[in-house]
Amino acid sequence: MKKFWQLWLTAILATFLLSACGTDNAKKDDTPKTTQNDVAKEAFPLTLTDAVGNEITFDKAPETIVSMTPSNTEILFALGLNEEIIGVNDYDDYPAEALEKEKIGGMEFNVEKIVAMNPDVVFAHESGLSIGSEGLQQIRDAGITVFVVKNATNFDETYSTIETIGQATNKVAEAEKIISDMKAKVAEIIAKTDKVKAKNMKRVFIETSDAPEIYAPGKNTFMQEILEMISAENVVTEEGWVMISPEEIVNQNPDVILVMYSYVPDIVESVKNRAGFADITAVKEDAVVQVDENKTSRTGPRLAEGLEEVAKAIYPEVFGE
């Protein structure tokens, strides 16, 4: 796994109490005061390597930021950068403040608009390079810093992403707090689901699109990692994302069906009413559950909440639900 540079620079200021002469022999406190600006000066200039191998040097913490993907945006807001964010992706919907920001387009973003904004940095994303690499180069050619954030494929890479963005924006302590809170929540969830005995491990089918083209995550996917973390078995054993027929889902007879999309109204009832699905254990036991696709797919601060939502959907009894 490709690692970003770690920021090891710690500002250590020595403080002294100087004696002052006076009739009451009182001592004057001349301890130097450390401000946020002082810390920023200590931390910069800072060079970080982005997801495409470019070494990006930040002379100071950016004061104006454009975020090109929802996961970047969630991280930036969680770091407390509301005022610095001046542009976001059309699909950014969390937190609510993101809806108030200027929109720069979706996967096909508006280069001219971003250049006109003239931000200190554009946080792009590795997942959008197949469509947007040419546009990103045009932004670079306009003299604007572009930092391509890695497409995290597991929790560890998500932590690294948050850490790196925290370094670039002089929000190191805030990033560490986010990561610490996420790790604590993940550990709590794993501890609860570890109690599941092997014989009680549930078999799960996860679908990310509706019939007739039903797609599901298999091995070497983020959702596979999540299922393994909470002691659940994926009924899909193929590599990557695969299209699966309703007949094969019936044959696999999962204990739980998770629906990870919301573009179909009443999708849970729709799944239950598919031909042949009445005989599936998940349908018989009312274990067809829709989960928040954003929490479970956006590699940002809410990912631990997504893990918890999946765990509760599969093992509600473990969580007292």
Side-chain angles (χ1 to χ4, degrees), residues 271-284:
V271 169
K272 291 179 180 178
N273 291 324
R274 287 175 185 160
F277 273 43
D279 294 328
I280 295 178
T281 300
V283 175
K284 288 180 178 179

Side-chain angles (χ1 to χ4, degrees), residues 90-228:
D90 285 357
Y91 299 99
D92 288 1
D93 56 6
Y94 188 89
E97 290 83 357
L99 297 170
E100 302 171 2
K101 299 295 182 177
E102 191 75 20
K103 301 299 183 180
I104 53 89
M107 293 293 286
E108 297 182 357
F109 48 87
N110 190 325
V111 173
E112 292 77 14
K113 190 171 187 178
I114 295 171
V115 171
M117 289 178 169
N118 193 31
D120 290 336
V121 64
V122 172
F123 282 108
H125 200 268
E126 187 179 15
S127 63
L129 292 179
S130 60
I131 296 176
S133 58
E134 183 177 340
L136 292 179
Q137 188 56 51
Q138 290 175 343
I139 295 171
R140 293 188 188 98
D141 292 342
I144 296 171
T145 299
V146 175
F147 190 94
V148 180
V149 176
K150 181 178 176 58
N151 183 29
T153 59
N154 54 48
F155 272 84
D156 284 341
E157 290 181 358
T158 300
Y159 300 146
S160 294
T161 295
I162 295 169
E163 180 181 45
T164 300
I165 294 178
Q167 291 171 355
T169 58
N170 198 40
K171 295 288 185 178
V172 174
E174 291 84 349
E176 290 176 349
K177 178 66 164 56
I178 292 169
I179 295 167
S180 176
D181 289 347
M182 289 178 69
K183 287 183 175 179
K185 191 172 193 65
V186 168
E188 178 184 348
I189 296 164
I190 291 176
K192 288 182 177 179
T193 54
D194 271 349
K195 299 175 183 177
V196 176
K197 302 296 183 182
K199 64 179 180 180
N200 294 323
M201 181 180 292
K202 293 184 181 179
R203 301 177 68 253
V204 183
F205 174 72
I206 303 170
E207 63 178 53
T208 59
S209 61
D210 192 20
E213 295 184 352
I214 302 173
Y215 276 87
K219 291 182 179 179
N220 294 322
T221 63
F222 211 146
M223 288 308 302
Q224 176 67 36
E225 180 192 37
I226 285 178
L227 291 179
E228 290 174 354

Side-chain angles (χ1 to χ4, degrees), residues 303-314:
L303 191 59
E305 295 177 28
L307 176 69
E308 182 177 47
E309 187 168 334
V310 171
K312 287 182 176 180
I314 298 172

